Amino acid sequence: MLAPALAARADRSELPLLALFDCAGDEPLPRFERQALRLLAEALDCDGAVWGWGRREGGAMRIRHAVVHQRPDGLLSDYAAVAAADPLTAAFVAAPRPVRGGAVGGPLGLYRSAGHADLRDYLAQYDIAQLMLGGLEEGDGDDLVWLTLYRAEAGRPLGMREQLALAQALPFWRQAHRLATRLAQAGTAGRPAPSSCLARLGAREAEVARRYAAGESYKVIARAMGVAPDTVRSQLQQVYRKLGVHDKIALLRVLDADAGSADAGPQAEGGSWKPPAR
């Protein structure tokens, strides 16, 4: 088990983050997401966390996929009502940085103004006194991977040690997730398209679908296939249309299902949430 020393050590060589890669190699993707989130929360001595993937749209972030640790799923569905007034998320979407956050209440709290009363009530409802948000840009820069950590105790602030640790952990988290995704797709490599879904795609579209679901960016796929990034983007749009999906996670589920993955079921277990279409 990862130790709280992760938050106390700045030397990356001492961070016990290889456990994330062990988890990626041992667990199917949905279970990896939950297990890795638990490991990071414990390492940073936090009592709750959310990992998510979304896309920057018009100055806001549309959540495409999220996994909740030690908080009710309503944490995310209820957030929709207060999201527009959240300065923390707005600042992160405008300029993603490894770490943003701090105290919720008090004279120096993030949401101390009268206009943030609804946000304070929302956070109190879910027993959040301290929070920390970090993330990284993905793909074309508008895809965002993010991790939010919570503490219920107001007297134990998330300080510089935790912020530094989270900033160092994020690239490990991203690479471990990519590894888990690629391993989930390993069974489909070199196989002809199954008749159920991938048969709807052309050969090049199927290759784009597999590569993108495995974590490769538009530019990487374009170089590998000898085409322009815009061509990859167009082919991926056709893939989404033909398969009836709208994001990478849904695409991965379709590919897993077509590969006959016995581990596709756990993704439907408690802890994952997708927002309703707006």
Side-chain angles (χ1 to χ4, degrees):
M1 178 175 119
L2 297 184
L6 172 59
R9 293 174 178 160
D11 183 352
R12 179 173 300 184
S13 65
E14 296 184 32
L15 298 181
L17 290 169
L18 291 180
L20 292 175
F21 291 93
D22 290 339
C23 184
D26 294 340
E27 302 286 357
L29 180 61
R31 199 172 300 147
F32 160 78
E33 291 179 339
R34 296 191 296 275
Q35 179 74 352
L37 188 57
R38 180 186 66 80
L39 288 173
L40 285 178
E42 289 180 354
L44 290 164
D45 197 17
C46 293
D47 54 43
V50 177
W51 168 82
W53 177 77
R55 186 164 180 83
R56 184 191 287 116
E57 294 180 356
M61 179 170 64
R62 181 183 179 189
I63 298 174
R64 300 290 184 84
H65 175 70
V67 179
V68 182
H69 172 66
Q70 289 191 185
R71 286 296 190 279
D73 286 352
L75 173 78
L76 286 173
S77 56
D78 289 347
Y79 181 69
V82 297
D86 189 348
L88 181 65
T89 297
F92 172 71
V93 171
R97 284 169 31 187
V99 177
R100 295 178 182 270
V104 172
L108 299 179
L110 291 167
Y111 308 110
R112 61 187 180 276
S113 74
H116 294 148
D118 289 344
L119 273 162
R120 291 195 300 270
D121 290 344
Y122 158 78
L123 292 165
Q125 176 185 353
Y126 288 101
D127 204 18
I128 298 170
Q130 308 283 336
L131 73 163
M132 191 164 58
L133 168 65
L136 300 165
E137 294 180 331
E138 290 274 279
D140 59 5
D142 284 332
D143 287 338
L144 303 173
V145 174
W146 47 272
L147 177 66
T148 307
L149 296 164
Y150 306 119
R151 277 183 183 170
E153 299 176 62
R156 288 198 312 121
L158 291 163
M160 290 301 299
R161 293 189 304 175
E162 289 87 353
Q163 291 179 16
L164 177 59
L166 177 58
Q168 293 180 338
L170 281 167
F172 285 83
W173 165 272
R174 178 172 62 178
Q175 292 300 324
H177 190 271
R178 285 176 175 172
L179 173 61
T181 302
R182 290 186 177 120
L183 290 174
Q185 288 302 303
T188 66
R191 292 183 183 178
S195 58
S196 57
C197 288
L198 290 187
R200 306 174 197 169
L201 307 179
R204 303 284 278 183
E205 290 173 341
E207 183 177 356
V208 166
R210 292 191 185 99
R211 287 180 176 274
Y212 187 69
E216 294 183 11
S217 69
Y218 295 132
K219 292 181 180 179
V220 170
I221 297 172
R223 284 197 298 268
M225 298 180 65
V227 298
D230 284 346
T231 301
V232 173
R233 190 188 306 271
S234 176
Q235 289 175 328
L236 189 60
Q237 290 173 348
Q238 290 298 315
V239 168
Y240 278 17
R241 182 183 63 79
K242 290 180 179 181
L243 299 185
V245 300
H246 303 285
D247 57 62
K248 184 186 294 186
I249 299 299
L251 175 62
L252 179 58
R253 286 174 176 166
V254 168
L255 296 179
D256 276 346
D258 274 1
S261 172
D263 293 311
Q267 186 66 26
E269 295 177 5
S272 296
W273 174 86
K274 281 193 173 185
R278 298 178 186 175

